[in-house]
Amino acid sequence: MTFGYKRVNPDDEEDFRESPVLSGTAKFRLPKPPDAPEPLDVIDQKDIAATGDGLYSLLATSGYAVSGGGTTINDAPRFAGIETLGPFTAEGFWFNRQRAQQEFGDNYIKFKTWLEQWAGGLLVYRDGYRVYPYAAPDDDWLELDQRALRRKSFKLNRGQFVGYVRITSLRNRELRDQTNRQGLVDTPEKRALVQCLQYVIWKELGSLVTQHEERMATKSLTTVREIEKQVTEHAKDAKVTLRELAKRVPDEHQTVANLRGYVEELEAAWAAAKKTLKRQANQADLYLHLAGVGILLEFVIHELNRVTGATLQDLQKMSDSALPPGLKSLARQLQTLDKRLRILDPVSTPGRQRKEDTDVVEVLETLLDAHEQQFERHHIKVNLKLTPEGARLVSNVIVGQMYQIFENLIVNSVYWLSHHRAMRRLEGNEDFEAAIEIEVDANTNSITFRDNGAGIEWADREKIFEPFFSKKPSGRGIGLYIVRSLCKENAITLSLLERMAAGTIPGFKFEMP
């Protein structure tokens, strides 16, 4: 793989601006089927390509959230180190020891000795000289073993990885040695380097390994556990905040009691979803479906924490006699939570996971209503266009899964539109007006969903539907996989819209049954 820079306007001799580019290839040699006499010489390969919004997103510092609305507070630290990292190249080889033992036969001992000598991750070379201690026996600078342990999947660990990274003193000036020569100084550029390599290993190569080697159910279960941990922690935090609110504002005991009731309803919805989905026969589908429900719950309870936390901050800033703005707005916030809980009901309630005639326009209207305040905070305009005007689209589908499909698309659009606004600000453009457009055509029984962000890169047009692929800094990569799976389950034909002039894809089309 290669990380470098290209000129923004190569035809303009006076414009010296450059933008980063990541390119390369991930290859995987398919394992030998049990009944095959010889190993296969079949290679599955995928291009690695990231530029513009996508590359800045995957290299962004995860410690800083993407800024909503017109704020620039997080832009500089979030993108620090990307433009000053400098070009580098890397090459790595991953070996499955079990496969190697079968395929090398009598030569396996020789291979094993070689692998033990060189495995350990990616070595680093500057101007042809090795930079220590990277990929030494006790160094896990890319956190390959840590991630493998967390995910209970030991496929992409250091012991099976051999490779190198090449940097130069001239082009990578910010990748400086520590004074004790024990590695590079912790700088934004080093963080960007590490994050870039992790993305290629975990997402690009990792998707191929997942596809051909790992059991889907195992990885999906890990994702569900991560989501359950978040839901549990958010619920616990919300209860603590509500107890403090009850002490500070005893006159608002009914409001606080209502909020506490919402937390309990959320926990009950999660328990009900787990109970319902245990009845599914396919374990991988079970966990991925459960993850979809969990994403909805995680969003709702995060919003609840945001509301109550902001109210508590207001109380701490004001005298006991003053009524803080947070409490004045709680009535509206409670209405918003009501809307979101209505969404969760068909998603998580046992007995509702069956096909029925569903007004998909009503689903969309409910979702957009529930996200209204989020759209306001992020300055996003939403247009729901019905053809003919006032039309309804009734389709025989599982209603709860319709909420999951379009919730995932909305969440993605909010992130990428906010990220695109930050990218435009880097270019000095403050005039970007973020917009989501959903068009329901009752004549053709179709729905198109698009936004005016940077769009989907052409090289990612198939990857985005693969499990665990994401260009968000800490994205789980299951949203669009869930969308495609649920479309298939409901006999919905899902396709990408035509490429724009810039070469990217603006959204999706759904042809309803």
Side-chain angles (χ1 to χ4, degrees), residues 5 37 77 88 106 119 124 148 189 215 248 251 318 349 367 375 404 409 442 453-454 458 471 508:
Y5 299 85
F88 67 89
D106 295 339
V124 179
E189 290 75 18
R215 293 181 60 195
R248 295 293 300 265
D251 292 343
M318 305 184 73
T349 303
L367 277 169
F375 294 144
Q404 287 181 258
L409 297 185
W458 183 249
K471 283 186 173 178
F508 309 87

Side-chain angles (χ1 to χ4, degrees), residues 254-354:
Q254 188 57 53
T255 299
V256 174
N258 289 344
L259 287 168
R260 190 181 292 115
Y262 286 123
V263 177
E264 292 169 358
E265 285 188 59
L266 289 168
E267 292 176 314
W270 180 239
K274 288 190 288 185
K275 182 179 178 181
T276 302
L277 294 167
K278 282 180 181 177
R279 300 170 187 165
Q280 293 189 13
N282 186 305
Q283 196 178 36
D285 287 347
L286 185 161
Y287 292 137
L288 280 166
H289 195 163
L290 193 56
V293 177
I295 289 171
L296 274 171
L297 280 161
E298 191 178 4
F299 171 72
V300 175
I301 206 162
H302 177 271
E303 288 293 285
L304 176 62
N305 268 329
R306 186 187 61 78
V307 172
T308 53
T311 303
L312 194 57
Q313 285 183 353
D314 284 341
L315 282 168
Q316 292 167 349
K317 294 176 184 177
M318 305 184 73
S319 64
D320 293 338
S321 59
L323 186 63
L327 284 178
K328 290 179 181 178
S329 67
L330 266 184
R332 187 181 177 194
Q333 305 284 9
L334 287 171
Q335 291 173 0
T336 299
L337 289 172
D338 267 332
K339 296 170 187 173
R340 288 176 179 146
L341 286 173
R342 286 204 306 275
I343 294 170
L344 287 171
D345 177 60
V347 173
S348 61
T349 303
R352 295 295 297 274
Q353 302 301 310
R354 63 177 183 272

Side-chain angles (χ1 to χ4, degrees), residues 295-489:
I295 289 171
L296 274 171
L297 280 161
E298 191 178 4
F299 171 72
V300 175
I301 206 162
H302 177 271
E303 288 293 285
L304 176 62
N305 268 329
R306 186 187 61 78
V307 172
T308 53
T311 303
L312 194 57
Q313 285 183 353
D314 284 341
L315 282 168
Q316 292 167 349
K317 294 176 184 177
M318 305 184 73
S319 64
D320 293 338
S321 59
L323 186 63
L327 284 178
K328 290 179 181 178
S329 67
L330 266 184
R332 187 181 177 194
Q333 305 284 9
L334 287 171
Q335 291 173 0
T336 299
L337 289 172
D338 267 332
K339 296 170 187 173
R340 288 176 179 146
L341 286 173
R342 286 204 306 275
I343 294 170
L344 287 171
D345 177 60
V347 173
S348 61
T349 303
R352 295 295 297 274
Q353 302 301 310
R354 63 177 183 272
K355 290 184 179 180
E356 56 187 290
D357 286 344
T358 300
D359 185 346
V360 184
V361 173
E362 183 181 343
V363 170
L364 291 167
E365 289 172 340
T366 303
L367 277 169
L368 297 179
D369 203 24
H371 281 271
E372 181 183 3
Q373 290 192 22
Q374 187 185 32
F375 294 144
E376 289 179 4
R377 289 199 310 275
H378 289 265
H379 294 208
I380 297 172
K381 294 181 180 179
V382 181
N383 179 28
L384 176 59
K385 182 181 178 182
L386 306 178
T387 305
E389 187 176 348
R392 314 307 286 181
L393 197 163
V394 177
S395 190
N396 191 250
V397 291
I398 300 172
V399 60
Q401 295 183 356
M402 295 306 100
Y403 282 103
Q404 287 181 258
I405 287 172
F406 292 106
E407 172 74 13
N408 273 300
L409 297 185
I410 290 170
V411 169
N412 269 349
S413 281
V414 169
Y415 170 82
W416 287 108
L417 286 170
S418 299
H419 176 69
H420 187 61
R421 177 181 283 112
M423 293 293 300
R424 297 292 292 270
R425 284 197 296 256
L426 286 181
E427 300 169 358
N429 187 337
E430 301 285 345
D431 299 328
F432 175 65
E433 295 185 0
I436 296 173
E437 181 179 284
I438 306 170
E439 182 175 357
V440 178
D441 190 333
N443 297 324
T444 59
N445 251 32
S446 65
I447 301 169
T448 57
F449 187 107
R450 71 175 78 220
D451 62 47
N452 65 338
I456 301 162
E457 292 197 66
W458 183 249
D460 297 336
R461 64 191 182 281
E462 296 176 358
K463 297 180 199 173
I464 57 172
F465 296 114
E466 294 172 359
F468 315 112
F469 175 83
S470 175
K471 283 186 173 178
K472 296 179 183 177
S474 53
R476 296 189 180 97
I478 60 171
L480 289 178
Y481 178 78
I482 290 172
V483 168
R484 185 179 65 173
S485 299
L486 297 185
C487 283
K488 184 177 181 181
E489 188 172 341

